[in-house]
Amino acid sequence: MNKRKSHKTPSLKNAKRVIVKIGSALLVDADSGMLYRAWMESLAADIAVMRGRGQDVIIVSSGAIAVGRRHLNFSSGALRLDEKQAAAATGMARLAHAYEEALGNHGLTVAQILLTLDDSENRRRYINARNTLTTLLRLGAVPLINENDTVATDEIRFGENDRLAGRVAAMIGADVLVLLSDVDGLYTADPNKDATARHIPLVDAITPEIKAMAGSSQTEYGTGGMITKLAAARAALPAGCSVVVADGNGENPLKAIEAGGR
Ligand code: GLU
């Protein structure tokens, strides 16, 4: 991974292949279970600009459970694993449809892929997944990846989409992985409790400082905190993929990252 140091970290604008991971809290209104359509449209516009430049874009999106639970009339609060799986199955169709509409407005084709972490560990499945992704990118489609929650077990509880995005980044040789959530970077400590906490928006090497970081932030719909973002970085960095952790709350979140010089 140190050999990357002699290379310039590619900016989002210059990256050949980019993975964008989107947390549930950015996509779904917690009270109504409705998708934030205007935000999705702004994301789709950013992706269309990137595709127009010839960049490959892969989306890893959470949100299936958050959307599906309202359609199954679950009340707010914790769900059992089988209930989460039922909610995910219900919500995934709606989520994919919303992406299809938003990206379709720009003439882009969405292709849904549901994966588990096992798929990146079993050689035959790893190669199959990689071949399918590579073919889709060659054909100009935008792969839309989520965990295959129906067959996942512990994974749903730990916000594994961050980890999954890191594995996929390594699998297909992405240059940049963007983790969009409601935090604007990694912090060396909890900034609410520790005034010396340092902000790290771009991770292009696992330094001892980063290794020492811990702590996790949780919202009702996003199960990924710092720990899973670090896990994503650990998977992506050795494959030469740098990781941007950005607050995606505003519209046009990718354009905003570019405007910030990354
Ligand atoms: N796969 C879950 C969903 O779509 C999200 C898991 C995660 O937040 O990482 O709802």
Side-chain angles (χ1 to χ4, degrees):
M1 122 189 46
N2 284 339
K3 84 173 170 325
R4 281 197 60 72
K5 286 204 170 143
S6 56
H7 298 285
K8 201 177 164 331
T9 302
S11 66
L12 197 50
K13 221 177 196 159
N14 300 327
K16 167 98 194 60
R17 194 164 273 186
V18 177
I19 304 209
V20 185
K21 188 264 168 178
I22 300 148
S24 301
L26 297 178
L27 279 172
V28 189
D29 179 78
D31 296 323
S32 65
M34 299 288 279
L35 285 159
Y36 294 125
R37 297 276 178 168
W39 186 87
M40 285 184 90
E41 278 158 24
S42 79
L43 174 78
D46 288 356
I47 291 174
V49 169
M50 295 172 81
R51 288 290 308 120
R53 288 185 204 132
Q55 297 174 280
D56 291 336
V57 183
I58 296 118
I59 300 171
V60 175
S61 181
S62 301
I65 295 172
V67 171
R69 63 182 295 151
R70 301 297 165 188
H71 288 276
L72 294 175
N73 297 320
F74 287 123
S75 52
S76 54
L79 297 180
R80 293 195 316 261
L81 178 61
D82 60 321
E83 291 173 335
K84 284 188 199 169
Q85 290 171 319
T90 308
M92 193 60 218
R94 290 174 168 80
L95 188 61
H97 184 59
Y99 275 110
E100 192 176 55
E101 276 185 355
L103 288 157
N105 287 338
H106 299 274
L108 296 173
T109 299
V110 173
Q112 177 187 286
I113 299 196
L114 300 179
L115 291 175
T116 64
L117 285 179
D118 288 350
D119 294 324
S120 66
E121 283 159 9
N122 171 298
R123 179 159 173 80
R124 189 177 55 82
R125 282 152 62 177
Y126 176 95
I127 288 171
N128 279 337
R130 191 179 59 188
N131 285 346
T132 306
L133 279 163
T134 308
T135 302
L136 285 167
L137 292 172
R138 181 168 42 79
L139 295 171
V142 179
L144 169 66
I145 299 176
N146 196 354
E147 286 177 284
N148 190 353
D149 289 324
T150 304
V151 297
T153 51
D154 289 347
E155 282 103 282
I156 298 180
R157 273 173 288 182
F158 295 117
E160 293 288 308
N161 268 354
D162 286 337
R163 260 182 246 266
L164 189 62
R167 300 267 185 105
V168 173
M171 178 190 277
I172 53 136
D175 305 296
V176 178
L177 165 62
V178 181
L179 299 173
L180 288 179
S181 72
D182 48 9
V183 293
D184 64 351
L186 294 178
Y187 286 87
T188 51
D190 182 345
N192 297 317
K193 295 185 190 143
D194 186 343
T196 67
R198 214 165 63 77
H199 176 226
I200 305 174
L202 172 78
V203 191
D204 56 6
I206 297 275
T207 59
E209 181 183 44
I210 287 183
K211 234 183 218 163
M213 285 160 51
S216 83
S217 62
Q218 302 236 344
T219 64
E220 188 189 355
Y221 288 115
T223 46
M226 290 291 141
I227 288 171
T228 54
K229 292 188 173 43
L230 281 171
R234 282 200 191 103
L237 291 173
C241 175
S242 49
V243 180
V244 175
V245 181
D247 180 349
N249 269 303
E251 289 190 3
N252 299 103
L254 301 174
K255 194 174 160 190
I257 293 172
E258 287 183 9
R262 286 201 295 277

